[in-house]
Structures are given as structure tokens and as C-alpha cells.
Amino acid sequence: MVCTKNTENNNLPRRQVLNIPAVVYGKTSAQLKEQYGVNELVLMNCNENPLGSSPLAIKAIQEEALNINRYPESGSSDLRQKLANHYGIEREMVLCSNGGDNIITTLMQTFLDEGDELVVGHPSFFVYGHTSGIMGAKLIKVPLKDYTYDLAAILQAVTPKTKMVIICNPNNPTSTILRQKEVDEFIAVLPQDCLVVFDEAYREFVEDKNYPDSLKYVKEDKNVLIIRTFSKLYGLAGLRIGYCLAPQKVMTYMARVVETFPVNRLAQVAAMAALDDKNFVTKVKAANALGKAYLIDELAKLGMKTAPAYANFIFTDTGMDSIKLVKDLEKRGILIRPAVSWGFPTCVRISIGTQAENEKLVKAIQEIKDEI
Ligand SMILES: Cc1ncc(COP(=O)(O)O)c(C=O)c1O
């Protein structure tokens, strides 16, 4: 027998993958506790929900646990219908997936070809660059202005090759927002064949009455897609459940690419229960608003200035070497994110914690400053 296949370079991946660094996994909580010699960690580095998860969601998971020998309902129909009713749109305009990250993957697999351009603000959510890179698309990073997406500069960056613009609102890592009027003006002048993606992972925390109603664009059949998640407000980050809302002309293509079983059984029932959990939602929003105001005030007393913050995290200029500050906090078991890799060497991103955690952080920063 003769095999004519040339086996040279047989195990090389797609060309684009060669340019992508491997994902670096963080240490486990147990490893970190051992490393810092602490019993408890204060996790203020991942924008998670410090109050736990919706109790209704937990109850729904417990009840559904007996059915996990069965595959999940593949189209998440009940959850999609519930979300569709919630937003007053058709079920076909909702797609559920394994977290907002997985929506981004499906979105980019659907729309980005090699050589297409994707325009985003910088710094913004790192996943945009990673996933578009895998597709071979060109990422155009437009610097933020005053920590905020700069729509005028984004328009300047749009070329005939621009396939997609992502607006992260509130922006991760800066927690700033764009408002209705400026977004309306932007949508009006952007070429219509350019897909506008609103990443609204943190939208439920925003209290500003001029925050854009992006759903309006979906209902008007504009070329838009909105990303939302159950990870933040509802405290279901560990379950991995997110969704997107878009007109049918966009969804018709997404539906060709999405995995067969992207959302597991437990996540589907938990998300439906969480949507009804008004008590939890009210409690989380109130605690977040109080915690955020407390942290901004206390850090200001320490001479640190925070960018206008609308999400469940703040972006603060500490005036110090942020890597050193973060390391000193880690020694006390407190985790926050330095902004060095985002181009802000003295800034940090801090997720709002419980009141006790917020107080512990402020006290620790005070001590570290006193030591200098
Ligand atoms: C801006 C933004 N979009 C999307 C996501 C994805 O969220 P998840 O995959 O947990 O639903 C995150 C997570 O941190 C985020 O910060």
C-alpha cells in the first residue's frame, strides 16, 4: 500500500493560529492561598458578583440536577422565549450560548473572514483581539479618550474593509459609558454594511438615564447585535450562560454557526429562574452602588482618582506603581488587576466587593501607602 499524502508539517494548525499566544491559565484559589499564606482570598479582580448567585437560580439547579443524564434542549427554546418576552421581541432574535465569550466566538466565526477589519476601542475586553485573531481578521485598536470610547476616532478608523465595530458599554476595564445621543449619531453615519456590536455585559449596573437603548436598533432592523450575560448581575459566572439580541437578518447567519448544545441544562433553568429573581437583582444593584460610592470616596481620600464608573468595577489612578501595589495587596490575600498591560502603569481595575471586602481593601492600601 502507498500513501501519497505529504506528511511534512502535518500537525501545523491553521496559519492564523501560529500568531496567537497560548492562553495562560491563572493559579487556583488553593494555590494562591498557599502562596500568600492566607485562609481567605478577597477576589476583586474578575468583576464577579460578590453576593453570590440568585437563590432562585440555585434552587432551579438543584431540581434540574436529576436530569443531567439527558442532553440539554439544544435550542434553549424556553429560555429564548422568556428573554424574547422580557424584551418584547421575537424568539428568533435571541440566541443563547455558553457565556458572552462564546457569543463572541460564534459572532466572529460567522462574520469575520481573513483580512476583514474589526474596529474596537483600546483598552477594551481582550477577548475581541484573541478571537478575531484566530479568524485572521485585522484588529484596529482606537485609543480611548478620557477613559471612554472615542466614536469620532472610531469613525475615522473605518475603511471599506471594516466588517464590524464593537462598542463595549460600559467598557471593560474602564467602567465608562457612551450615551444615547452620541451613539444615535454614530449609527446614523456608519456605513450600513458594518455590523455594530454592543457588548453590554455590565449594562444592568448602569443608572444613567441617558444610557443607550440599543434594543431600539434591533427593533428597527439595523445591522446591530447586543451581547448580554448572566455572569455579572445574576452571579452565574461559573455556570457559563450569555446571550445576544439581534435582528433576524443577523441571526439567520449566527444560527448556522452556533454549536448544537452550547448551553447546558443547569444553566438554562438557572437563567430562567434568575430572570424572575427581582429581590436578588434589587439587592445586588443597591450593594454595588453603595460599594462603588464608598470605594471611590475612600480612594479619593488617599489621593487616588477614579474614572466615572458605571459598572460593577472601577478604574483608578493610584499615582503609584500599580504592579507593586497589586503585589503588596496579594500578600494580604486581596486580588485586583493592574492596568499596566492596558497602557496605564499607575492605574488599577477594582471589582466592587462586599462592604467588608471594600473596607479591607481600603485599609490595606492605606497601610501600603504608609509603608512607602
Ligand atoms: C465586556 C465583557 N464582555 C463579555 C464578557 C463575557 O462574559 P461571560 O463569558 O462570563 O458571559 C465579559 C466578562 O468578563 C466582559 O467583561
Side-chain angles (χ1 to χ4, degrees), residues 21 106 179 225 298:
T106 306
R179 295 189 168 73
L225 180 139
E298 292 300 317

Side-chain angles (χ1 to χ4, degrees), residues 99-101 104 125 128 168 172 199 201-202 229 231-232 240-241:
D101 284 353
I104 296 170
F125 190 39
Y128 310 145
C168 188
N172 179 7
D199 185 340
Y202 302 95
T229 180
S231 292
K232 311 295 176 179
R240 314 305 300 127
I241 165 88

Side-chain angles (χ1 to χ4, degrees), residues 1-128:
M1 262 199 304
V2 180
C3 178
T4 53
K5 188 175 189 311
N6 179 359
T7 55
E8 234 176 83
N9 289 341
N10 203 19
N11 59 354
L12 277 184
R14 287 173 54 241
R15 199 154 33 88
Q16 293 84 4
V17 175
L18 292 172
N19 302 322
I20 312 264
V23 174
V24 180
Y25 296 108
K27 291 189 176 155
T28 64
S29 293
Q31 286 168 330
L32 289 171
K33 281 184 200 167
E34 196 186 326
Q35 181 177 344
Y36 305 132
V38 294
N39 294 326
E40 286 298 327
L41 290 172
V42 175
L43 300 174
M44 300 173 82
N45 58 339
C46 288
N47 303 341
E48 294 155 335
N49 191 325
L51 301 189
S53 310
S54 150
L56 293 189
I58 293 174
K59 187 162 171 280
I61 290 170
Q62 285 162 343
E63 285 166 10
E64 188 64 14
L66 292 175
N67 297 326
I68 58 171
N69 58 316
R70 301 291 175 197
Y71 282 103
E73 198 271 293
S74 64
S76 308
S77 303
D78 292 345
L79 174 58
R80 282 169 56 223
Q81 188 61 58
K82 195 165 175 107
L83 286 163
N85 297 346
H86 186 76
Y87 292 117
I89 56 178
E90 299 296 316
R91 186 173 66 184
E92 289 64 36
M93 297 159 84
V94 184
L95 184 78
C96 297
S97 204
N98 188 38
D101 284 353
N102 190 221
I103 291 287
I104 296 170
T105 310
T106 306
L107 171 73
M108 297 196 175
Q109 285 176 339
T110 306
F111 290 103
L112 292 184
D113 253 327
E114 188 166 359
D116 284 343
E117 290 178 4
L118 162 66
V119 182
V120 296
H122 181 75
S124 198
F125 190 39
F126 80 99
V127 169
Y128 310 145

Side-chain angles (χ1 to χ4, degrees), residues 211-275:
Y211 181 76
D213 171 17
S214 52
L215 191 62
K216 174 184 82 164
Y217 307 129
V218 171
K219 290 179 180 168
E220 289 170 357
D221 205 34
K222 295 259 191 320
N223 203 13
V224 300
L225 180 139
I226 304 169
I227 299 171
R228 304 261 171 95
T229 180
F230 284 92
S231 292
K232 311 295 176 179
L233 178 70
Y234 299 103
L236 301 180
L239 209 52
R240 314 305 300 127
I241 165 88
Y243 60 98
C244 63
L245 311 169
Q248 291 189 13
K249 65 181 181 191
V250 174
M251 282 304 189
T252 184
Y253 298 117
M254 296 280 284
R256 299 176 193 202
V257 176
V258 69
E259 293 159 25
T260 315
F261 298 110
V263 186
N264 68 69
R265 261 182 188 283
L266 304 183
Q268 290 189 33
V269 294
M272 284 200 286
L275 274 177

Side-chain angles (χ1 to χ4, degrees), residues 118-124 139-145 147-158 165-166 171:
L118 162 66
V119 182
V120 296
H122 181 75
S124 198
L139 184 73
I140 311 290
K141 298 197 273 187
V142 177
L144 304 182
K145 190 173 162 195
Y147 302 109
T148 308
Y149 261 59
D150 181 350
L151 291 182
I154 285 184
L155 275 179
Q156 293 291 316
V158 169
V165 174
I166 301 185
N171 184 40

Side-chain angles (χ1 to χ4, degrees), residues 86-364:
H86 186 76
Y87 292 117
I89 56 178
E90 299 296 316
R91 186 173 66 184
E92 289 64 36
M93 297 159 84
V94 184
L95 184 78
C96 297
S97 204
N98 188 38
D101 284 353
N102 190 221
I103 291 287
I104 296 170
T105 310
T106 306
L107 171 73
M108 297 196 175
Q109 285 176 339
T110 306
F111 290 103
L112 292 184
D113 253 327
E114 188 166 359
D116 284 343
E117 290 178 4
L118 162 66
V119 182
V120 296
H122 181 75
S124 198
F125 190 39
F126 80 99
V127 169
Y128 310 145
H130 179 251
T131 313
S132 59
I134 294 170
M135 299 315 298
K138 188 168 169 202
L139 184 73
I140 311 290
K141 298 197 273 187
V142 177
L144 304 182
K145 190 173 162 195
D146 299 330
Y147 302 109
T148 308
Y149 261 59
D150 181 350
L151 291 182
I154 285 184
L155 275 179
Q156 293 291 316
V158 169
T159 76
K161 288 189 180 165
T162 308
K163 194 68 168 291
M164 190 185 292
V165 174
I166 301 185
I167 297 179
C168 188
N169 200 28
N171 184 40
N172 179 7
T174 52
S175 202
T176 51
I177 57 164
L178 291 170
R179 295 189 168 73
Q180 185 79 62
K181 188 165 172 290
E182 53 196 329
V183 175
D184 278 346
E185 288 166 2
F186 176 78
I187 296 272
V189 295
L190 190 74
Q192 286 181 10
D193 59 357
C194 187
L195 178 64
V196 183
V197 176
F198 292 96
D199 185 340
E200 298 184 350
Y202 302 95
R203 68 111 48 211
E204 293 97 341
F205 295 104
V206 181
E207 289 172 344
D208 189 296
K209 64 179 187 335
N210 292 318
Y211 181 76
D213 171 17
S214 52
L215 191 62
K216 174 184 82 164
Y217 307 129
V218 171
K219 290 179 180 168
E220 289 170 357
D221 205 34
K222 295 259 191 320
N223 203 13
V224 300
L225 180 139
I226 304 169
I227 299 171
R228 304 261 171 95
T229 180
F230 284 92
S231 292
K232 311 295 176 179
L233 178 70
Y234 299 103
L236 301 180
L239 209 52
R240 314 305 300 127
I241 165 88
Y243 60 98
C244 63
L245 311 169
Q248 291 189 13
K249 65 181 181 191
V250 174
M251 282 304 189
T252 184
Y253 298 117
M254 296 280 284
R256 299 176 193 202
V257 176
V258 69
E259 293 159 25
T260 315
F261 298 110
V263 186
N264 68 69
R265 261 182 188 283
L266 304 183
Q268 290 189 33
V269 294
M272 284 200 286
L275 274 177
D276 289 333
D277 201 339
K278 305 275 182 289
N279 286 343
F280 185 70
V281 164
T282 306
K283 190 171 104 178
V284 171
K285 283 188 189 174
N288 185 64
L290 279 176
K292 190 160 52 181
Y294 168 83
L295 275 180
I296 293 172
D297 274 5
E298 292 300 317
L299 294 176
K301 287 181 199 160
L302 298 176
M304 300 178 175
K305 197 167 176 332
T306 299
Y310 296 88
N312 63 342
F313 55 91
I314 58 175
F315 194 77
T316 301
D317 191 344
T318 64
M320 304 162 71
D321 170 356
S322 69
I323 294 279
K324 180 176 177 326
L325 174 65
V326 167
K327 288 219 165 94
D328 287 347
L329 286 169
E330 281 173 358
K331 288 180 198 148
R332 293 161 164 87
I334 303 172
L335 275 60
I336 64 170
R337 285 290 299 273
V340 177
S341 62
W342 296 314
F344 294 88
T346 56
C347 293
V348 290
R349 190 194 70 187
I350 305 171
S351 310
I352 311 302
T354 61
Q355 189 52 27
E357 289 172 331
N358 297 335
E359 285 171 16
K360 196 167 172 187
L361 172 76
V362 170
K363 189 162 167 276

